[in-house]
Amino acid sequence: MFNIGMSVVSLARFQFAMTTIFHFFFVPMSIGLGLLVAIMETMYVIKKKPIYLTMTKFWGKIFLLSFAVGVVTGIIQEFQFGMNWSNYSRFMGDIFGAPLAIEALLAFFLESTFLGIWMFTWDKMKPIWHSLMIWLVVIGSTLSALWILAANSFMQNPVGYKIDPKTGHAVMTDFFAIIKNQQLWYEFPHVIFGAFVTGSFIVAGASAWMLFRKKSPAFFRKSMRLGLIVGLFGLLGGFVSGDGQMLYLTKDQPMKFAAAEGEYKNVKSPAAWSVVQISNTKEKTASYRIEIPYMLDLLTYHKPSGNITGMDQVNKDLHKKYDKKFGKNMNYYPPVNTLFYSFRIMVAGAGALGMLSLLGLWFSRKRKNTIVKQKWLLLLLTLATFGPFLINSCGWIVTELGRNPWVVYGLLPIADAVSPSTSAAAVLFTIIVYFFLFSFLGAFMFVYAKKNLEKGPEAIDDTIEYDTEDPFSKEAFSK
């Protein structure tokens, strides 16, 4: 057998990370853009202004493309369960079967069916009924995410199951326990709010770029403001839901929480929060810290007192709990530096997007609309288009790597989940194939979206004046 000097486990994990992150570029994009498009069409129904219909059709084209690419990348991702993770599929099949079947047969069919109706009935339905179609697509996409996350939440916090003594596989005993899983109801809103932010900043960032170039300012100012308003709402929701999720982790997955905060030792109140630090994962020590006093207590317990269980103590507790079943050689420490900085990039990135939202709304307000003159802000908002993708990826890195060494927490280690017949060379080959396929899909998506953007709203309806806003008019300088 051809030996490439790499383990199947490492390659399979890298491939799954690559495909999951790329797929997750498009899932929140399509959910978020779907919401924005639905709001735009609803505004057209209520206000009867043609510009909102143009906005709906214009941004709807990019939404449709993101939906299509998301479906393709999702199919590729599912191939891996049988190719690289067959032991995992056998172990989890009875649990995964129900939510994934419901997702495919109910939620995905709902969104795809009504998406088709929405696409081909512009002149065949009354506006109010046509707008209902896109709202049903948004509901279907949200339900689809719910069922996928129900399966993922079981991997984080197994509930409603028993282990079959003959096969050693997990068997569902309580479907509603899986639906009521606490992990799901912390994870689901956080993901959905993140999707709203993603779609919002795609609209806001792309609009900012066109305003920077002084193209159709009336159209793109209105689009940008809508994106920033919805984005700000999504950021606030993400902050609240994320805060609740981290509080939940202190009890449910204390190792993930301690790693995200870089704490090896138990920390007594007052606990400082490390903004920057370097962890020595071999020595299990941390150095070069920049700390904010009391902040870890405030973030964790919302009061200036409390105790944090460090990774060393959690590692001892996990060995005591699982050594009899999985042996003493298990390493329960996750990749600390990766989790530490992924968490901070996620939080800092969300804060930066929030500040940009407020600035963008302030400078584009009706009373003193000078946004076109703020070149620096428009460029920052353009760059912010890519911010949610980085933030979402960092969030998933914390979620997935934080439960290391488990695929299913406390039940199935990563090393036991890989397909026994898969070779490292085969996995490496598919990694290369997927990489080029993803590169092609990503380039296609970018080029098509840019082409649609360059055409402007005039390509949708050239009977409307989109250049009526003059940044140097008397109104622009009024107080």
Side-chain angles (χ1 to χ4, degrees):
M1 183 65 69
F2 181 60
N3 186 2
I4 60 173
M6 300 181 187
S7 71
V8 173
V9 174
S10 297
L11 287 169
R13 293 185 72 188
F14 176 81
Q15 183 185 98
F16 199 82
M18 180 181 71
T19 55
T20 299
I21 288 174
F22 190 82
H23 176 57
F24 202 67
F25 283 169
F26 296 97
V27 171
M29 184 193 302
S30 60
I31 294 174
L33 282 175
L35 175 68
L36 266 293
V37 171
I39 293 173
M40 291 170 186
E41 187 163 8
T42 302
M43 293 177 74
Y44 169 67
V45 171
I46 295 172
K47 295 190 173 185
K48 311 296 183 185
K49 293 183 178 180
I51 192 171
Y52 290 113
L53 180 60
T54 305
M55 288 168 62
T56 303
K57 292 182 177 181
F58 182 83
W59 297 108
K61 287 186 176 182
I62 298 176
F63 159 64
L64 290 172
L65 183 62
S66 68
F67 183 90
V69 176
V71 171
V72 174
T73 56
I75 293 172
I76 293 172
Q77 188 180 17
E78 290 195 9
F79 282 158
Q80 292 176 96
F81 289 121
M83 293 167 55
N84 299 341
W85 303 95
S86 61
N87 282 347
Y88 163 80
S89 299
R90 293 189 186 95
F91 181 84
M92 281 286 293
D94 190 73
I95 306 294
F96 256 34
L100 292 185
I102 294 172
E103 187 274 332
L105 297 175
L106 178 63
F108 181 73
F109 270 59
L110 175 68
E111 59 181 315
S112 57
T113 299
F114 287 104
L115 183 62
I117 296 173
W118 182 78
M119 288 171 59
F120 298 110
T121 58
W122 286 101
D123 300 320
K124 297 177 175 62
M125 300 177 72
K126 290 182 178 181
I128 189 170
W129 294 113
H130 191 266
S131 66
L132 177 62
M133 299 301 104
I134 191 64
W135 279 110
L136 289 172
V137 173
V138 174
I139 292 170
S141 300
T142 305
L143 289 175
S144 183
L146 174 66
W147 294 113
I148 295 296
L149 292 174
N152 180 268
S153 295
F154 181 90
M155 296 163 64
Q156 306 285 342
N157 179 40
V159 293
Y161 76 98
K162 69 176 182 179
I163 300 298
D164 189 322
K166 294 182 179 179
T167 63
H169 300 163
V171 177
M172 183 188 298
T173 58
D174 189 346
F175 175 76
F176 291 102
I178 293 175
I179 302 304
K180 293 186 293 183
N181 193 341
Q182 274 190 295
Q183 172 68 27
L184 172 62
W185 296 106
Y186 284 112
E187 190 174 319
F188 172 67
H190 195 58
V191 169
I192 294 301
F193 282 123
F196 295 166
V197 173
T198 304
S200 298
F201 273 88
I202 288 172
V203 171
S207 298
W209 173 244
M210 297 305 285
L211 286 172
F212 179 82
R213 300 175 62 196
K214 299 181 181 179
K215 302 287 187 180
S216 307
F219 177 87
F220 285 112
R221 173 187 169 275
K222 198 173 288 289
S223 295
M224 186 192 74
R225 283 186 62 83
L226 178 61
L228 293 177
I229 291 169
V230 176
L232 198 57
F233 167 78
L235 287 166
L236 290 172
F239 173 79
V240 173
S241 58
D243 178 64
Q245 190 172 14
M246 289 303 290
L247 291 176
Y248 172 71
L249 287 179
T250 59
K251 297 179 180 179
D252 185 64
Q253 292 187 33
M255 180 64 84
K256 181 188 292 186
F257 178 84
E261 299 300 347
E263 299 293 350
Y264 282 99
K265 307 298 181 183
N266 292 345
V267 182
K268 294 183 178 180
S269 182
W273 186 70
S274 297
V275 181
V276 177
Q277 79 171 40
I278 302 297
S279 294
N280 186 327
T281 55
K282 291 184 178 180
E283 300 294 330
K284 304 293 188 295
T285 58
S287 56
Y288 307 107
R289 289 188 169 193
I290 299 177
E291 298 180 330
I292 302 176
Y294 292 96
M295 185 57 69
L296 186 55
D297 283 337
L298 292 172
L299 292 174
T300 306
Y301 299 108
H302 301 163
K303 58 183 181 180
S305 62
N307 298 320
I308 308 298
T309 305
M311 286 180 277
D312 292 343
Q313 181 59 53
V314 177
N315 181 59
K316 292 178 182 178
D317 295 341
L318 291 173
H319 271 290
K320 184 177 180 180
K321 184 175 182 179
Y322 294 115
D323 275 2
K324 186 176 181 180
K325 183 176 181 181
F326 297 105
K328 297 181 179 181
N329 295 325
M330 291 284 286
N331 178 18
Y332 294 107
Y333 290 93
V336 179
N337 287 318
T338 302
L339 265 65
F340 181 87
Y341 284 105
S342 292
F343 179 70
R344 276 145 187 78
I345 290 170
M346 178 179 65
V347 174
L353 292 183
M355 287 299 299
L356 288 174
S357 296
L358 293 173
L359 288 171
L361 290 170
W362 175 257
F363 284 110
S364 63
R365 69 195 190 280
K366 263 190 176 181
R367 189 178 178 187
K368 193 173 182 180
N369 175 27
T370 60
I371 187 65
V372 178
K373 294 181 63 180
Q374 314 302 324
K375 299 293 186 182
W376 61 275
L377 179 57
L378 291 174
L379 285 175
L380 288 176
L381 284 169
T382 301
L383 293 174
T385 306
F386 308 98
F389 297 99
L390 176 62
I391 293 168
N392 291 336
S393 297
C394 286
W396 271 112
I397 287 171
V398 173
T399 298
E400 298 303 298
L401 287 184
R403 71 170 183 270
N404 192 73
W406 309 105
V407 172
V408 183
Y409 195 87
L411 298 179
L412 184 67
I414 294 170
D416 295 342
V418 179
S419 301
S421 60
T422 300
S423 67
V427 179
L428 180 61
F429 175 76
T430 53
I431 287 174
I432 296 170
V433 172
Y434 288 160
F435 175 80
F436 283 108
L437 178 59
F438 291 157
S439 298
F440 170 77
L441 289 172
F444 176 78
M445 173 78 196
F446 181 81
V447 170
Y448 182 88
K450 184 176 181 294
K451 184 178 179 180
N452 186 68
L453 198 63
E454 294 289 343
K455 288 181 178 179
E458 292 82 3
I460 305 295
D461 186 351
D462 59 3
T463 64
I464 304 174
E465 177 58 57
Y466 301 107
D467 296 302
T468 56
E469 292 194 354
D470 179 7
F472 303 104
S473 64
K474 181 180 178 182
E475 289 76 13
F477 294 93
S478 63
K479 294 183 179 180

